[in-house]
Structure formats: structure tokens, C-alpha cells
Amino acid sequence: KSMVLFWRFSNGFLIQKHGVKYPYTISETKESTHERCGFLTYCNIPRAVTWIPPSTHNQTQGPLMFGLRTPFCSDLSGHSNLKFSNGSRFMEYLAVEFASDVEQQTPYGNTTQETATFYVKLQLGVNGLTREDSVCVVNTGVHDQILCKEKSDATCLDMYSTNVRWYLSILRQGCGSIIWISTTSVAGDPKYP
């Protein structure tokens, strides 16, 4: 599975979703009510009036499967937006699947990446924080490889690099620091060496 890990923390607060001990007491959690179609509801951001699918000519953006058949939903299953807080500190995970996709379109952006950046900036303001208070940890790649079907390696690399550069450039609007986690192979899956 591929996803963009979007972790934010302030004042030294950091939690990992899977199995790492957390040094603070968690007093509040918030989670998307629907893993594939709950992104915008979780963020409390309205949908765009009309959902526009990605171009099928030399497709360079997701979604490709479920999200393509079901507007405002993600291809990604098994992951959803999640927030942990102890009142003064918080960490948030936003399930962003591709380096560029049109799954979560709003009046504020035509891509999930623009919507996520808008949400981060909104949350900084709500919590009295600045861009410098936010650290975003990002990863994408495995699902992006599906976009490479019937493309040369050079074309695929160029498309992916362009999408990642664009994504990181808009994230800078809401992230004082960005940490890129490199993509690893999917254990035992020959499609993703």
C-alpha cells in the first residue's frame, strides 16, 4: 500500500500510529468515520460542486480504481485521517495516497494535496500556531507506480519527480519543516521490488 504519511506535531509532541510508546497521556482522539470517503467530512471542508476526474490521456494523477468510480473517495483502503491530542499538543495523520491526485476536490483546491495543505494552514490558525510550528513527514510512491503502467522508466521517473516536487512546494505553505521518508519495497510483492 502507498500513502502519504502526514504527521504534524507542536511543542515536541509526536506519536506514531502503530506500536510506538507515546510519552504523554492522550486525552482526545478524532478519526475519520469512513476510511475511503470520509476525508472531507473529517476536515470539515465542503466538497467542490462538481468532481472532475483525472485526464485519461497520459494519466499522471490518481485515482485509478475505487476513487475514480466513486467521486470524493480514495483508492486507499485500511487508512483514514486520525488525530491524537492531550489538550496542548497534537499529532495528526492525513491519508493522502498519491503525490498528485484529484480525489478530494474542494472550493479551495482541485487536488487532495491542495486540500490537505489548506486544512493544515486552517488548523495552524485554529490552534494559534504558525507555519514554523508544524513538521510534516511525507511519503508516497507505491500507488504512484500504478500510474506508470505502459510508460517508459524515464517517463515514469519524470512524472513522479514532477508530482513530488509540486506536492512538496505546496506543503511548504503550511509546513515549517518537511521530512521525506523514502519508499521501501512491499515485502514479498514482486510487482513492487
Side-chain angles (χ1 to χ4, degrees):
K1 303 231 176 192
S2 171
M3 71 192 102
V4 174
L5 299 176
F6 199 87
W7 303 71
R8 296 187 306 136
F9 65 92
S10 62
N11 302 324
F13 172 92
L14 176 63
I15 186 169
Q16 293 186 1
K17 187 176 175 183
H18 301 289
V20 174
K21 287 200 173 217
Y22 175 62
Y24 303 100
T25 302
I26 296 171
S27 59
E28 176 190 348
T29 60
K30 176 184 173 185
E31 187 166 5
S32 227
T33 55
H34 189 285
E35 71 176 22
R36 284 188 159 183
C37 302
F39 189 99
L40 295 177
T41 302
Y42 171 93
C43 294
N44 197 27
I45 298 174
R47 293 176 171 188
V49 174
T50 303
W51 187 81
I52 302 167
S55 169
T56 55
H57 173 71
N58 192 30
Q59 187 169 355
T60 61
Q61 293 180 303
L64 298 166
M65 297 174 279
F66 184 81
L68 191 57
R69 295 186 311 270
T70 315
F72 302 102
C73 294
S74 175
D75 287 347
L76 184 64
S77 65
H79 301 275
S80 60
N81 297 348
L82 181 65
K83 181 177 183 177
F84 295 101
S85 172
N86 74 349
S88 63
R89 298 179 173 128
F90 66 94
M91 187 285 309
E92 197 155 18
Y93 167 87
L94 298 178
V96 179
E97 180 177 14
F98 296 93
S100 181
D101 70 69
V102 296
E103 294 172 344
Q104 309 302 329
Q105 297 173 22
T106 70
Y108 312 105
N110 293 322
T111 67
T112 302
Q113 295 69 25
E114 291 166 321
T115 298
T117 299
F118 174 80
Y119 176 76
V120 168
K121 293 181 345 187
L122 188 68
Q123 291 306 300
L124 290 175
V126 166
N127 288 287
L129 302 170
T130 68
R131 178 182 162 272
E132 288 71 30
D133 297 318
S134 185
V135 175
C136 300
V137 181
V138 183
N139 167 271
T140 185
V142 176
H143 282 191
D144 293 272
Q145 290 180 30
I146 300 168
L147 293 168
C148 292
K149 188 177 181 180
E150 300 178 16
K151 291 180 175 76
S152 71
D153 287 349
T155 300
C156 178
L157 181 58
D158 182 58
M159 174 198 67
Y160 178 67
S161 298
T162 298
N163 285 348
V164 168
R165 279 193 300 275
W166 171 79
Y167 185 23
L168 294 177
S169 74
I170 64 166
L171 277 179
R172 285 187 184 94
Q173 297 173 26
C175 302
S177 297
I178 297 174
I179 300 169
W180 178 264
I181 305 238
S182 62
T183 302
T184 58
S185 63
V186 179
D189 191 336
K191 294 188 308 186
Y192 307 106

Short mmCIF file of all heavy atoms in Angstrom, two decimals, residues 142-183:
data_model
loop_
_atom_site.label_atom_id
_atom_site.label_comp_id
_atom_site.label_asym_id
_atom_site.label_seq_id
_atom_site.Cartn_x
_atom_site.Cartn_y
_atom_site.Cartn_z
N VAL A 142 4.34 4.01 -3.84
CA VAL A 142 3.89 2.70 -4.30
C VAL A 142 2.67 2.83 -5.19
O VAL A 142 2.64 2.28 -6.29
CB VAL A 142 3.64 1.74 -3.11
CG1 VAL A 142 3.08 0.42 -3.60
CG2 VAL A 142 4.94 1.49 -2.35
N HIS A 143 1.66 3.57 -4.78
CA HIS A 143 0.49 3.75 -5.64
C HIS A 143 0.82 4.59 -6.86
O HIS A 143 0.24 4.39 -7.92
CB HIS A 143 -0.68 4.34 -4.87
CG HIS A 143 -1.38 3.33 -4.02
ND1 HIS A 143 -2.58 3.57 -3.42
CD2 HIS A 143 -1.05 2.07 -3.67
CE1 HIS A 143 -2.96 2.51 -2.73
NE2 HIS A 143 -2.03 1.59 -2.86
N ASP A 144 1.76 5.51 -6.72
CA ASP A 144 2.19 6.30 -7.87
C ASP A 144 2.75 5.41 -8.98
O ASP A 144 2.65 5.74 -10.16
CB ASP A 144 3.25 7.33 -7.44
CG ASP A 144 2.68 8.38 -6.51
OD1 ASP A 144 2.17 9.39 -7.00
OD2 ASP A 144 2.74 8.17 -5.29
N GLN A 145 3.32 4.27 -8.60
CA GLN A 145 3.87 3.36 -9.60
C GLN A 145 2.79 2.82 -10.53
O GLN A 145 3.06 2.53 -11.70
CB GLN A 145 4.59 2.19 -8.93
CG GLN A 145 5.87 2.59 -8.25
CD GLN A 145 6.54 1.42 -7.59
OE1 GLN A 145 6.42 0.29 -8.04
NE2 GLN A 145 7.27 1.68 -6.52
N ILE A 146 1.58 2.70 -10.05
CA ILE A 146 0.48 2.21 -10.88
C ILE A 146 0.23 3.19 -12.04
O ILE A 146 -0.18 2.77 -13.12
CB ILE A 146 -0.79 1.98 -10.03
CG1 ILE A 146 -0.52 0.95 -8.94
CG2 ILE A 146 -1.95 1.51 -10.91
CD1 ILE A 146 -1.61 0.87 -7.89
N LEU A 147 0.50 4.46 -11.81
CA LEU A 147 0.34 5.46 -12.87
C LEU A 147 1.35 5.24 -14.00
O LEU A 147 1.20 5.80 -15.08
CB LEU A 147 0.51 6.88 -12.30
CG LEU A 147 -0.56 7.36 -11.34
CD1 LEU A 147 -0.12 8.64 -10.65
CD2 LEU A 147 -1.88 7.55 -12.06
N CYS A 148 2.38 4.44 -13.74
CA CYS A 148 3.44 4.21 -14.72
C CYS A 148 3.12 3.10 -15.73
O CYS A 148 3.92 2.86 -16.64
CB CYS A 148 4.74 3.87 -14.00
SG CYS A 148 5.39 5.28 -13.09
N LYS A 149 1.98 2.47 -15.56
CA LYS A 149 1.62 1.39 -16.48
C LYS A 149 1.69 1.92 -17.92
O LYS A 149 1.16 2.98 -18.24
CB LYS A 149 0.21 0.91 -16.16
CG LYS A 149 -0.21 -0.31 -16.92
CD LYS A 149 -1.60 -0.75 -16.48
CE LYS A 149 -2.00 -1.99 -17.23
NZ LYS A 149 -3.32 -2.45 -16.84
N GLU A 150 2.37 1.17 -18.76
CA GLU A 150 2.53 1.50 -20.19
C GLU A 150 3.34 2.78 -20.42
O GLU A 150 3.21 3.41 -21.46
CB GLU A 150 1.18 1.56 -20.89
CG GLU A 150 0.43 0.24 -20.82
CD GLU A 150 -0.95 0.30 -21.47
OE1 GLU A 150 -1.22 1.24 -22.23
OE2 GLU A 150 -1.74 -0.60 -21.20
N LYS A 151 4.16 3.17 -19.46
CA LYS A 151 5.07 4.31 -19.63
C LYS A 151 6.50 3.79 -19.51
O LYS A 151 6.76 2.83 -18.78
CB LYS A 151 4.82 5.37 -18.55
CG LYS A 151 3.51 6.11 -18.68
CD LYS A 151 3.35 7.13 -17.57
CE LYS A 151 2.13 7.97 -17.69
NZ LYS A 151 0.89 7.32 -17.33
N SER A 152 7.43 4.43 -20.18
CA SER A 152 8.84 4.04 -20.06
C SER A 152 9.34 4.41 -18.65
O SER A 152 8.74 5.25 -17.97
CB SER A 152 9.68 4.76 -21.11
OG SER A 152 9.78 6.13 -20.80
N ASP A 153 10.43 3.79 -18.22
CA ASP A 153 11.01 4.11 -16.91
C ASP A 153 11.35 5.60 -16.81
O ASP A 153 11.10 6.22 -15.79
CB ASP A 153 12.26 3.27 -16.66
CG ASP A 153 11.94 1.80 -16.38
OD1 ASP A 153 10.75 1.48 -16.16
OD2 ASP A 153 12.89 1.00 -16.36
N ALA A 154 11.91 6.15 -17.89
CA ALA A 154 12.29 7.56 -17.89
C ALA A 154 11.06 8.46 -17.75
O ALA A 154 11.06 9.43 -16.98
CB ALA A 154 13.06 7.92 -19.15
N THR A 155 10.00 8.14 -18.48
CA THR A 155 8.76 8.93 -18.41
C THR A 155 8.15 8.82 -17.02
O THR A 155 7.69 9.81 -16.44
CB THR A 155 7.76 8.46 -19.48
OG1 THR A 155 8.36 8.64 -20.77
CG2 THR A 155 6.45 9.22 -19.41
N CYS A 156 8.15 7.62 -16.47
CA CYS A 156 7.60 7.39 -15.13
C CYS A 156 8.37 8.19 -14.08
O CYS A 156 7.78 8.87 -13.25
CB CYS A 156 7.64 5.90 -14.80
SG CYS A 156 7.04 5.52 -13.15
N LEU A 157 9.68 8.13 -14.13
CA LEU A 157 10.51 8.85 -13.17
C LEU A 157 10.28 10.36 -13.29
O LEU A 157 10.16 11.06 -12.28
CB LEU A 157 11.99 8.52 -13.37
CG LEU A 157 12.95 9.19 -12.41
CD1 LEU A 157 12.61 8.86 -10.96
CD2 LEU A 157 14.38 8.79 -12.73
N ASP A 158 10.20 10.85 -14.51
CA ASP A 158 9.96 12.28 -14.72
C ASP A 158 8.59 12.69 -14.15
O ASP A 158 8.48 13.71 -13.48
CB ASP A 158 10.05 12.61 -16.22
CG ASP A 158 9.84 14.09 -16.48
OD1 ASP A 158 10.62 14.90 -15.91
OD2 ASP A 158 8.91 14.44 -17.23
N MET A 159 7.55 11.88 -14.42
CA MET A 159 6.21 12.17 -13.92
C MET A 159 6.20 12.19 -12.39
O MET A 159 5.70 13.12 -11.76
CB MET A 159 5.22 11.13 -14.43
CG MET A 159 3.82 11.26 -13.85
SD MET A 159 2.83 9.76 -14.06
CE MET A 159 3.68 8.60 -13.01
N TYR A 160 6.77 11.15 -11.78
CA TYR A 160 6.79 11.03 -10.33
C TYR A 160 7.58 12.19 -9.70
O TYR A 160 7.12 12.83 -8.76
CB TYR A 160 7.38 9.68 -9.92
CG TYR A 160 7.49 9.49 -8.43
CD1 TYR A 160 6.35 9.39 -7.64
CD2 TYR A 160 8.73 9.37 -7.81
CE1 TYR A 160 6.45 9.21 -6.27
CE2 TYR A 160 8.84 9.18 -6.45
CZ TYR A 160 7.70 9.11 -5.68
OH TYR A 160 7.78 8.93 -4.33
N SER A 161 8.76 12.48 -10.26
CA SER A 161 9.58 13.58 -9.73
C SER A 161 8.86 14.91 -9.82
O SER A 161 8.90 15.72 -8.88
CB SER A 161 10.91 13.66 -10.49
OG SER A 161 11.64 12.48 -10.34
N THR A 162 8.20 15.15 -10.93
CA THR A 162 7.44 16.39 -11.11
C THR A 162 6.32 16.48 -10.08
O THR A 162 6.13 17.52 -9.45
CB THR A 162 6.86 16.46 -12.54
OG1 THR A 162 7.95 16.46 -13.47
CG2 THR A 162 5.99 17.69 -12.74
N ASN A 163 5.58 15.39 -9.88
CA ASN A 163 4.48 15.37 -8.91
C ASN A 163 4.99 15.58 -7.48
O ASN A 163 4.39 16.33 -6.71
CB ASN A 163 3.69 14.07 -9.01
CG ASN A 163 2.80 14.01 -10.22
OD1 ASN A 163 2.57 15.01 -10.90
ND2 ASN A 163 2.28 12.83 -10.51
N VAL A 164 6.09 14.93 -7.12
CA VAL A 164 6.63 15.08 -5.77
C VAL A 164 7.12 16.51 -5.55
O VAL A 164 6.85 17.12 -4.51
CB VAL A 164 7.76 14.06 -5.50
CG1 VAL A 164 8.53 14.40 -4.23
CG2 VAL A 164 7.18 12.65 -5.39
N ARG A 165 7.86 17.07 -6.51
CA ARG A 165 8.33 18.47 -6.36
C ARG A 165 7.15 19.42 -6.18
O ARG A 165 7.19 20.33 -5.34
CB ARG A 165 9.18 18.87 -7.56
CG ARG A 165 10.61 18.40 -7.49
CD ARG A 165 11.50 19.08 -8.53
NE ARG A 165 11.06 18.83 -9.89
CZ ARG A 165 11.40 17.77 -10.61
NH1 ARG A 165 12.19 16.86 -10.10
NH2 ARG A 165 10.95 17.61 -11.84
N TRP A 166 6.10 19.23 -6.98
CA TRP A 166 4.91 20.08 -6.86
C TRP A 166 4.28 19.92 -5.48
O TRP A 166 3.95 20.91 -4.82
CB TRP A 166 3.91 19.72 -7.96
CG TRP A 166 2.59 20.38 -7.77
CD1 TRP A 166 2.27 21.68 -8.07
CD2 TRP A 166 1.43 19.80 -7.20
NE1 TRP A 166 0.96 21.92 -7.72
CE2 TRP A 166 0.43 20.78 -7.17
CE3 TRP A 166 1.14 18.53 -6.70
CZ2 TRP A 166 -0.84 20.55 -6.67
CZ3 TRP A 166 -0.14 18.29 -6.20
CH2 TRP A 166 -1.11 19.30 -6.19
N TYR A 167 4.10 18.67 -5.03
CA TYR A 167 3.48 18.41 -3.74
C TYR A 167 4.28 19.06 -2.60
O TYR A 167 3.73 19.76 -1.75
CB TYR A 167 3.36 16.90 -3.53
CG TYR A 167 2.62 16.47 -2.29
CD1 TYR A 167 1.71 17.29 -1.64
CD2 TYR A 167 2.82 15.20 -1.77
CE1 TYR A 167 1.02 16.87 -0.51
CE2 TYR A 167 2.14 14.77 -0.64
CZ TYR A 167 1.25 15.61 -0.02
OH TYR A 167 0.58 15.18 1.10
N LEU A 168 5.57 18.86 -2.60
CA LEU A 168 6.40 19.45 -1.55
C LEU A 168 6.37 20.98 -1.59
O LEU A 168 6.39 21.64 -0.55
CB LEU A 168 7.83 18.93 -1.65
CG LEU A 168 8.01 17.43 -1.37
CD1 LEU A 168 9.46 17.02 -1.57
CD2 LEU A 168 7.50 17.05 0.01
N SER A 169 6.28 21.55 -2.80
CA SER A 169 6.23 23.02 -2.90
C SER A 169 4.95 23.58 -2.29
O SER A 169 4.99 24.62 -1.64
CB SER A 169 6.38 23.47 -4.36
OG SER A 169 5.21 23.24 -5.10
N ILE A 170 3.81 22.91 -2.47
CA ILE A 170 2.60 23.44 -1.85
C ILE A 170 2.55 23.13 -0.36
O ILE A 170 2.02 23.93 0.42
CB ILE A 170 1.30 22.99 -2.56
CG1 ILE A 170 1.09 21.50 -2.48
CG2 ILE A 170 1.25 23.47 -3.99
CD1 ILE A 170 -0.31 21.07 -2.87
N LEU A 171 3.14 22.01 0.08
CA LEU A 171 3.18 21.71 1.51
C LEU A 171 3.94 22.77 2.29
O LEU A 171 3.64 23.03 3.45
CB LEU A 171 3.82 20.35 1.76
CG LEU A 171 2.94 19.12 1.63
CD1 LEU A 171 3.75 17.86 1.88
CD2 LEU A 171 1.75 19.19 2.57
N ARG A 172 4.92 23.38 1.65
CA ARG A 172 5.71 24.42 2.33
C ARG A 172 4.84 25.58 2.81
O ARG A 172 5.24 26.32 3.70
CB ARG A 172 6.82 24.93 1.41
CG ARG A 172 7.95 23.94 1.28
CD ARG A 172 9.14 24.50 0.51
NE ARG A 172 10.14 23.47 0.36
CZ ARG A 172 10.25 22.67 -0.70
NH1 ARG A 172 9.42 22.81 -1.72
NH2 ARG A 172 11.17 21.76 -0.76
N GLN A 173 3.67 25.74 2.22
CA GLN A 173 2.75 26.80 2.67
C GLN A 173 2.28 26.57 4.10
O GLN A 173 1.97 27.51 4.82
CB GLN A 173 1.54 26.87 1.75
CG GLN A 173 1.85 27.25 0.34
CD GLN A 173 0.61 27.12 -0.54
OE1 GLN A 173 -0.53 27.23 -0.07
NE2 GLN A 173 0.83 26.90 -1.82
N GLY A 174 2.21 25.30 4.52
CA GLY A 174 1.72 25.00 5.86
C GLY A 174 2.71 24.28 6.75
O GLY A 174 2.46 24.09 7.94
N CYS A 175 3.84 23.86 6.21
CA CYS A 175 4.81 23.08 6.97
C CYS A 175 6.12 23.84 7.11
O CYS A 175 6.77 24.14 6.11
CB CYS A 175 5.09 21.75 6.26
SG CYS A 175 3.62 20.75 6.00
N GLY A 176 6.50 24.13 8.36
CA GLY A 176 7.76 24.79 8.59
C GLY A 176 8.94 23.89 8.27
O GLY A 176 9.97 24.34 7.79
N SER A 177 8.77 22.60 8.52
CA SER A 177 9.79 21.60 8.19
C SER A 177 9.09 20.43 7.52
O SER A 177 7.98 20.06 7.89
CB SER A 177 10.50 21.10 9.44
OG SER A 177 11.20 22.14 10.07
N ILE A 178 9.76 19.87 6.51
CA ILE A 178 9.23 18.69 5.83
C ILE A 178 10.30 17.61 5.89
O ILE A 178 11.46 17.86 5.56
CB ILE A 178 8.88 18.99 4.36
CG1 ILE A 178 7.77 20.04 4.28
CG2 ILE A 178 8.46 17.71 3.63
CD1 ILE A 178 7.44 20.50 2.88
N ILE A 179 9.90 16.44 6.35
CA ILE A 179 10.79 15.28 6.38
C ILE A 179 10.25 14.27 5.37
O ILE A 179 9.08 13.87 5.43
CB ILE A 179 10.83 14.65 7.79
CG1 ILE A 179 11.35 15.68 8.80
CG2 ILE A 179 11.69 13.38 7.78
CD1 ILE A 179 11.20 15.25 10.24
N TRP A 180 11.10 13.89 4.42
CA TRP A 180 10.72 12.91 3.39
C TRP A 180 11.18 11.54 3.84
O TRP A 180 12.35 11.33 4.14
CB TRP A 180 11.34 13.26 2.05
CG TRP A 180 11.02 12.26 0.99
CD1 TRP A 180 11.79 11.20 0.61
CD2 TRP A 180 9.83 12.18 0.21
NE1 TRP A 180 11.16 10.47 -0.37
CE2 TRP A 180 9.95 11.06 -0.64
CE3 TRP A 180 8.67 12.95 0.15
CZ2 TRP A 180 8.96 10.69 -1.53
CZ3 TRP A 180 7.68 12.59 -0.75
CH2 TRP A 180 7.82 11.48 -1.57
N ILE A 181 10.27 10.58 3.88
CA ILE A 181 10.60 9.20 4.20
C ILE A 181 10.64 8.45 2.88
O ILE A 181 9.64 8.43 2.16
CB ILE A 181 9.54 8.57 5.12
CG1 ILE A 181 9.37 9.42 6.35
CG2 ILE A 181 9.86 7.12 5.39
CD1 ILE A 181 9.60 8.81 7.65
N SER A 182 11.75 7.84 2.57
CA SER A 182 11.86 7.17 1.27
C SER A 182 10.95 5.94 1.21
O SER A 182 10.61 5.35 2.23
CB SER A 182 13.31 6.79 0.98
OG SER A 182 13.78 5.89 1.94
N THR A 183 10.57 5.59 0.01
CA THR A 183 9.69 4.46 -0.22
C THR A 183 10.49 3.16 -0.15
O THR A 183 11.57 3.07 -0.71
CB THR A 183 9.02 4.59 -1.60
OG1 THR A 183 8.32 5.84 -1.62
CG2 THR A 183 8.07 3.46 -1.87
#
